[in-house]
Amino acid sequence: DTEVTQTPKHLVMGMTNKKSLKCEQHMGHRAMYWYKQKAKKPPELMFVYSYEKLSINESVPSRFSPECPNSSLLNLHLHALQPEDSALYLCASSFGQISYEQYFGPGTRLTVT
Amino acid sequence: AQRVTQPEKLLSVFKGAPVELKCNYSYSGSPELFWYVQYSRQRLQLLLRHISRESIKGFTADLNKGETSFHLKKPFAQEEDSAMYYCALKENAGGTSYGKLTFGQGTILTVHP
């Protein structure tokens, strides 16, 4: 398996809901990433996990809560989001955090109503 | 702080013409530069990384540290090259953002028949 998979593909949620995004890879990668991408804009890094430990948090609001239960799985828990949080959320992985290319998933299109 | 600049939002060429997508960066350390491509309805994927110095799909890019540039070039553009291209810089200088990938704003390349 040489792909990063993300579920769901689309998600619509209200501002009071709690939902989770899921990312999975079986390439033996030990670094995993969450990015946020607004329309016609580049991806912006949110979090980096290295060997299942949070390595980088780009000052993301606490309504986004990442979790890395094991080396193959990365979750992003969402709670009390705002409409401006609507975006494409991309997951990526790499063999290591340093000097390795990142492989991207197809993304989850999130709409907050 | 690191910055990646892609001065052209849109670039149009005819099939068979040479194409150059510009990328300039500012970074105090020794950078690692990448070009990523996103074809319509496909995931973001790595096209080139400067340390490998290889040619992919006829594209090449040379890191010019004096001019702090990493322009992407192809001598004869093809219609299937039409896509969004992102230049990206990975921080390698240590600190809290070690390994962070920063993207430029992207250039939409359209190759006309």
Side-chain angles (χ1 to χ4, degrees):
Chain A
D1 190 347
T2 57
E3 277 196 346
V4 175
T5 58
Q6 290 186 244
T7 53
K9 283 189 178 176
H10 302 276
L11 178 63
V12 179
M13 61 186 289
M15 289 190 283
T16 57
N17 292 158
K18 280 187 182 181
K19 296 285 184 185
S20 296
L21 310 185
K22 181 179 168 183
C23 172
E24 205 161 358
Q25 57 85 17
H26 297 285
M27 296 180 278
H29 291 175
R30 302 314 298 267
M32 296 186 78
Y33 311 77
W34 279 116
Y35 288 87
K36 176 181 178 180
Q37 186 176 25
K38 299 284 259 184
K40 297 191 183 347
K41 296 288 186 185
E44 292 180 357
L45 184 67
M46 299 174 72
F47 302 103
V48 181
Y49 272 82
S50 180
Y51 288 85
E52 297 149 55
K53 286 188 171 43
L54 185 63
S55 173
I56 295 177
N57 177 342
E58 287 288 289
S59 303
V60 179
S62 60
R63 57 185 184 268
F64 295 91
S65 175
E67 180 198 17
C68 190
N70 59 59
S71 60
S72 300
L73 195 52
L74 184 67
N75 298 319
L76 186 63
H77 302 298
L78 314 172
H79 174 55
L81 294 194
Q82 304 297 311
E84 58 265 28
D85 296 322
S86 299
L88 182 68
Y89 287 84
L90 297 172
C91 175
S93 70
S94 62
F95 277 108
Q97 188 174 337
I98 312 302
S99 294
Y100 289 101
E101 67 177 271
Q102 294 180 26
Y103 293 78
F104 283 81
T108 293
R109 177 75 58 188
L110 174 68
T111 303
V112 181
T113 61
Chain B
Q2 76 288 354
R3 194 166 65 190
V4 178
T5 303
Q6 292 179 249
E8 303 132 332
K9 264 192 174 175
L10 303 168
L11 186 61
S12 286
V13 300
F14 285 100
K15 177 183 171 182
V19 63
E20 182 179 48
L21 289 83
K22 291 185 167 49
C23 173
N24 288 91
Y25 67 90
S26 63
Y27 182 56
S28 55
S30 181
E32 191 171 351
L33 277 297
F34 303 81
W35 277 99
Y36 278 84
V37 61
Q38 192 164 29
Y39 300 102
S40 180
R41 296 191 185 86
Q42 292 188 29
R43 66 184 67 197
L44 197 59
Q45 55 188 283
L46 180 69
L47 182 63
L48 283 178
R49 56 191 303 191
H50 88 269
I51 62 172
S52 58
R53 301 183 65 81
E54 56 191 345
S55 171
I56 305 291
K57 298 184 180 183
F59 284 97
T60 59
D62 288 316
L63 179 62
N64 185 324
K65 290 188 178 180
E67 295 182 0
T68 59
S69 68
F70 187 55
H71 302 327
L72 183 68
K73 299 176 185 178
K74 185 168 182 176
F76 307 104
Q78 303 298 314
E79 289 177 69
E80 55 266 30
D81 295 329
S82 296
M84 168 73 92
Y85 291 81
Y86 289 106
C87 182
L89 179 151
K90 178 173 272 193
E91 297 190 32
N92 287 334
T96 57
S97 295
Y98 199 22
K100 175 182 173 181
L101 196 63
T102 298
F103 289 85
Q105 292 297 304
T107 298
I108 298 173
L109 173 65
T110 303
V111 181
H112 300 285

